[in-house]
Amino acid sequence: MSDSIKLGLAQINPTVGDFSGNKKKILHYIQQSQQKDIDILTFPELTITGYPPSDLLLRDNFIQKNQNVLTEIAQKVGQNIHVIVGFVRQKEGKLFNSAAILHDGQIQSEIAKTLLPNYDVFNEKRYYTPAEKIQPVTINVNGKTINLGVEICEDIWNTPDQTPVTKILVEQGSDLIINLSASPFDYNKDSVRQKLLQNKTQKFKKPIALCNIVGAQDDLIFDGRSLVYDSQSQLIASGKEFQEELLATSINISTGSGEPVQPPTSSKNEKIFNALVLGVRDYFRKTGFEKAVLGLSGGIDSALTACIAREALGEE
């Protein structure tokens, strides 16, 4: 019986409300992962609905469709893989920002988000109820029992006056922490995330994987850059910026260790340019627009705008 497990992070670009398109994308990455013998595959926060669904959450048919799609996806998951996917759970009239663990055609477990951000671009307390309990989920991988600590985005960013979700999951025996994220881009965010996971793994001596969404939705841009740090606080997997990707790494579940990798590097200007290109491209793709009109004055502002538009939409 091997102590090594293969962990996959599907850093994908869903579209809010596009259940058919999101389902197709999720199933594609599940199939890829099964071909690569990945044991545990995780997707980002609210994968099925897209992020942020905002006031679509007030529609009963939207919630029901999201739950139906979750069931349809679960039925496609085989015996040799566990899949963690974000969705909206409804229980007794309340909504929970949740993650489901899918295995062998079934929804094995459902875990709700504890910390609901309500600042800056976030307004989650308007829609969701916090988790009713915090505890790991036990799964069996290759004959080995693993306690998974599953948390969602803000749960790992707790301030001293908030519930320490990661700490509680570790104290309850989690072998591995998996965080489903929809963490918006700013040009310092990548280094902040890395520092956060470095500090958490140094403190708790457990591997942590953060799977972040990629893409743009309205005024938000998500950069991806999913990360996995092992129990020695070494970076063992690092996702690309602004691109969809299936990221894979191996972890010795007994020691929590893996093989270190080097993170990609890019300049501040490169990050901002690529974020703007993705924002424009996804706005057109997700709304169905096909043409842009540019006003060119000959100055630097309109020249840069033209450059971004050309990169996002093509020179034609």
Side-chain angles (χ1 to χ4, degrees):
M1 185 187 302
S2 174
D3 284 341
S4 179
I5 64 165
K6 197 168 184 181
L7 176 66
L9 283 71
Q11 177 178 289
I12 69 168
N13 184 352
T15 299
V16 169
D18 182 10
F19 290 113
S20 176
N22 295 345
K23 174 187 169 183
K24 183 178 179 180
K25 193 182 291 283
I26 291 165
L27 291 175
H28 169 74
Y29 278 88
I30 291 174
Q31 183 180 35
Q32 272 197 338
S33 299
Q34 289 174 324
Q35 292 170 353
K36 294 177 181 292
D37 295 323
I38 286 174
D39 299 306
I40 302 171
L41 172 67
T42 185
F43 288 88
E45 181 177 11
L46 293 180
T47 331
I48 289 176
T49 62
Y51 189 94
S54 301
D55 279 4
L56 289 171
L57 294 168
L58 304 178
R59 300 184 181 184
D60 291 339
N61 63 337
F62 183 87
I63 302 302
Q64 187 59 54
K65 182 64 175 176
N66 126 94
Q67 293 178 321
N68 291 344
V69 170
L70 176 68
T71 300
E72 292 166 6
I73 292 170
Q75 292 169 351
K76 302 290 187 180
V77 176
Q79 295 180 341
N80 297 324
I81 189 171
H82 288 79
V83 176
I84 308 172
V85 63
F87 79 110
V88 179
R89 182 188 183 203
Q90 187 174 46
K91 178 185 176 184
E92 298 175 353
K94 298 176 181 178
L95 299 183
F96 298 85
N97 183 339
S98 298
I101 300 180
L102 314 178
H103 178 65
D104 194 16
Q106 302 292 324
I107 301 171
Q108 179 175 325
S109 302
E110 297 175 339
I111 304 97
K113 187 174 185 176
T114 300
L115 302 180
L116 304 177
N118 230 57
Y119 56 86
D120 194 23
V121 301
F122 302 107
N123 192 20
E124 293 198 14
K125 290 182 180 179
R126 171 176 168 83
Y127 309 106
Y128 303 113
T129 298
E132 298 167 336
K133 59 183 177 181
I134 303 171
Q135 64 182 43
V137 175
T138 300
I139 65 172
N140 188 285
V141 177
N142 301 326
K144 189 171 183 64
T145 299
I146 297 174
N147 291 320
L148 274 186
V150 179
E151 55 183 23
I152 301 174
C153 205
E154 191 78 4
D155 290 343
I156 203 171
W157 294 89
N158 68 284
T159 58
D161 61 331
Q162 292 178 312
T163 304
V165 179
T166 307
K167 180 174 183 287
I168 292 171
L169 288 170
V170 171
E171 288 175 346
Q172 292 186 350
S174 296
D175 300 302
L176 167 66
I177 302 294
I178 293 180
N179 184 284
L180 291 71
S181 274
S183 178
F185 165 79
D186 71 49
Y187 57 78
N188 289 319
K189 181 64 74 68
D190 182 35
S191 61
V192 172
R193 279 193 215 105
Q194 290 186 53
K195 189 66 175 176
L196 174 71
L197 266 63
Q198 285 173 348
N199 289 341
K200 294 277 186 179
T201 50
Q202 284 175 353
K203 181 175 182 179
F204 299 122
K205 309 300 182 186
K206 297 292 182 182
I208 299 178
L210 185 152
C211 183
N212 194 32
I213 206 167
V214 67
Q217 182 64 41
D218 298 328
D219 56 338
L220 295 177
I221 296 173
F222 302 94
D223 57 332
R225 287 292 282 118
S226 300
L227 300 165
V228 184
Y229 278 80
D230 72 3
S231 59
Q232 313 302 314
S233 203
Q234 300 179 115
L235 178 66
I236 61 171
S238 181
K240 297 175 182 176
E241 287 183 325
F242 309 110
Q243 296 181 47
E244 290 187 305
E245 182 183 16
L246 176 59
L247 192 62
T249 188
S250 293
I251 299 175
N252 184 310
I253 207 65
S254 295
T255 64
S257 60
E259 291 295 323
V261 298
Q262 292 297 316
T265 58
S266 57
S267 69
K268 172 183 171 181
N269 285 344
E270 184 180 1
K271 290 176 188 290
I272 294 173
F273 180 81
N274 288 333
L276 292 169
V277 167
L278 177 61
V280 172
R281 181 183 294 134
D282 264 15
Y283 180 81
F284 275 72
R285 182 177 65 83
K286 293 180 179 182
T287 58
F289 289 115
E290 296 180 350
K291 295 182 179 180
V293 177
L294 296 175
L296 296 176
S297 67
I300 188 66
D301 293 349
S302 62
L304 178 58
T305 300
C307 183
I308 292 168
R310 185 265 180 201
E311 189 72 18
L313 306 175
E315 61 186 16
E316 69 278 7

